[in-house]
Amino acid sequence: MTDRRQGQDHNAAWMAARQWRERARQARPTGGMSGPRLVLTWLLFGAMMIVGTLLGLVFLLVGWLMLPFLRHRMKKRMEQMRAEQAEDVGGGAHREAPSREREARRGRNVGHDTLEGDYVVKDDER
């Protein structure tokens, strides 16, 4: 066993590891944290955790309270879209030209009455 340890003393890797260990030991603070300072740190950390949890609960409750208002708003938007779609589909041949304000609001080119994808099937008479 002593032969093995003597071989380690001359090994460069063991010497470097020993030096590294000594430097780490010297860099480490000797006293550590004092008792009152440690307690104060834990109390501050605990208070921050409690405040964060309370803020999360407040945001969760605000989100839950906003859901009915958001649902009502989405329902009104869906009714408006269905009404516009019913106007577009229901007209047929006697359909009136859409108003320019509505076309501009939808972002379409004003003045064009054709929709993309419209086509007419013609009967072949032979």
Side-chain angles (χ1 to χ4, degrees), residues 13-107:
W14 282 103
M15 289 173 62
R18 198 170 286 121
Q19 288 173 357
W20 179 76
R21 198 178 335 162
E22 285 298 321
R23 277 183 281 174
R25 191 176 296 133
Q26 290 172 359
R28 187 183 305 159
T30 56
M33 288 187 75
S34 64
R37 194 173 189 187
L38 186 64
V39 169
L40 182 65
T41 303
W42 275 103
L43 286 175
L44 184 65
F45 177 72
M48 285 175 41
M49 290 292 287
I50 290 171
V51 167
T53 303
L54 289 176
L55 278 174
L57 285 174
V58 165
F59 283 127
L60 180 70
L61 289 175
V62 167
W64 281 348
L65 291 175
M66 287 177 64
L67 279 176
F69 298 113
L70 186 65
R71 184 173 178 257
H72 176 71
R73 188 174 172 191
M74 294 295 287
K75 189 183 275 189
K76 283 179 66 175
R77 185 178 292 172
M78 282 299 294
E79 287 175 2
Q80 181 183 6
M81 288 174 56
R82 283 182 183 154
E84 288 177 0
Q85 186 179 12
E87 285 177 8
D88 289 345
V89 171
H94 63 279
R95 187 174 111 191
E96 296 178 11
S99 66
R100 293 193 183 270
E101 303 91 39
R102 194 173 76 204
E103 291 293 324
R105 185 179 49 202
R106 285 187 181 171

Side-chain angles (χ1 to χ4, degrees), residues 86-123:
E87 285 177 8
D88 289 345
V89 171
H94 63 279
R95 187 174 111 191
E96 296 178 11
S99 66
R100 293 193 183 270
E101 303 91 39
R102 194 173 76 204
E103 291 293 324
R105 185 179 49 202
R106 285 187 181 171
R108 295 183 184 159
N109 294 333
V110 178
H112 295 285
D113 290 337
T114 59
L115 297 174
E116 184 179 341
D118 282 356
Y119 63 94
V120 177
V121 177
K122 294 184 180 179
D123 293 330

Side-chain angles (χ1 to χ4, degrees), residues 1-15 18:
M1 187 113 171
T2 57
D3 294 336
R4 189 183 238 177
R5 196 166 271 201
Q6 285 175 353
Q8 290 175 359
D9 289 340
H10 298 296
N11 189 346
W14 282 103
M15 289 173 62
R18 198 170 286 121

